[in-house]
């Protein structure tokens, strides 16, 4: 029997407001997150871990993190989170004091070992700014962390995409020092995936020779405006999360990402009847 794959559910951009408040006066992000938690709990087989790739809160305030914790309480899966531009390092540190961050202050980077896999969670947030940047200590830590093994595959998670999406108002607030990240990624072939958030929509490209994806959100999506046709806008599109499965195998094994829609849909229905014939 081949070993069981490691399954990582990635959710992103929860934007939890204080109870009763809507994001942008329109989106009930708390109800959307409740539906996301229910979908994660119901998913079979159970993911081994949930990674929340930033923008857990919205303003941010401690009241929002307290509410987030209440909304997370029904989640039956372990989870880890990294900050986005709508988060506060200090408030997240107080809200989740049990987390083993790499540094006692500053960036909330973490390395998580899970099965034969390393997850490297990078804090790309810049206090008070919408764009992302990996500070010098984080880059040094990333280099040292990746250099600590040449054999274990690693998945990198960070909030800000280190690449352009073609959505102009998001591209001006992506990861500013993507070139510095690229130099490190190219030095370490064990990096198998770069998984980001921030844009609230499923996006796929290559970065420094590695597949790189953006995870959709459980609430609203950034409008797919690829020609500056409209003011920066959002659209309530079908919500979803990403499920990254890592299969052990030759060299670094393989990673496959599925997009999982959140909601109730017709099915599953069998293709074949009891006689084995197609229905
Ligand atoms: Fe963001």
């Amino acid at each position: 029997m081949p070993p069981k794959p490691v399954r990582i559910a990635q959710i992103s951009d929860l934007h939890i407001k204080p109870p009763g408040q809507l994001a942008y006066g329109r989106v009930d992000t708390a109800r959307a997150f409740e539906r996301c938690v229910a979908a994660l709990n119901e998913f079979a087989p159970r993911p081994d871990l949930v990674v929340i790739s930033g923008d857990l809160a919205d303003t941010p305030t401690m009241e929002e993190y307290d509410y987030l914790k209440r909304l997370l309480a029904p989640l039956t899966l372990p989870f880890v989170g990294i900050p986005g531009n709508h988060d506060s390092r200090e408030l997240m540190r107080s809200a989740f004091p049990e987390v083993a961050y790499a540094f006692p202050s500053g960036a909330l980077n973490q390395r998580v070992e899970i099965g034969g896999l390393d997850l490297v969670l990078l804090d790309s947030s810049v206090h008070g700014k919408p764009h992302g940047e990996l500070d010098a200590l984080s880059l040094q830590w990333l280099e040292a962390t990746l250099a600590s093994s040449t054999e274990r595959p690693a998945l990198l998670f960070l909030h800000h995409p280190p690449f352009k999406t073609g959505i102009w108002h998001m591209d001006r607030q992506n990861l500013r020092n993507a070139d510095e990240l690229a130099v490190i990624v190219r030095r370490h072939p064990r990096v198998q995936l770069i998984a980001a958030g921030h844009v609230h929509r499923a996006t796929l490209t290559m970065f420094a020779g590695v597949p790189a994806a953006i995870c959709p959100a459980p609430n609203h999506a950034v409008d797919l405006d690829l020609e500056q046709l409209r003011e920066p806008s959002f659209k309530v599109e079908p919500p979803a999360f990403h499920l990254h499965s890592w299969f052990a195998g030759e060299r670094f094994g393989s990673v496959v990402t599925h997009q999982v829609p959140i909601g109730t849909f017709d099915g599953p229905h069998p293709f074949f009847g009891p006689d084995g014939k197609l229905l």
Side-chain angles (χ1 to χ4, degrees), residues 13 15 55 85-86 159 198:
D13 298 85
H15 290 268
D55 287 357
N85 50 300
H86 285 260
H159 181 69
H198 193 47

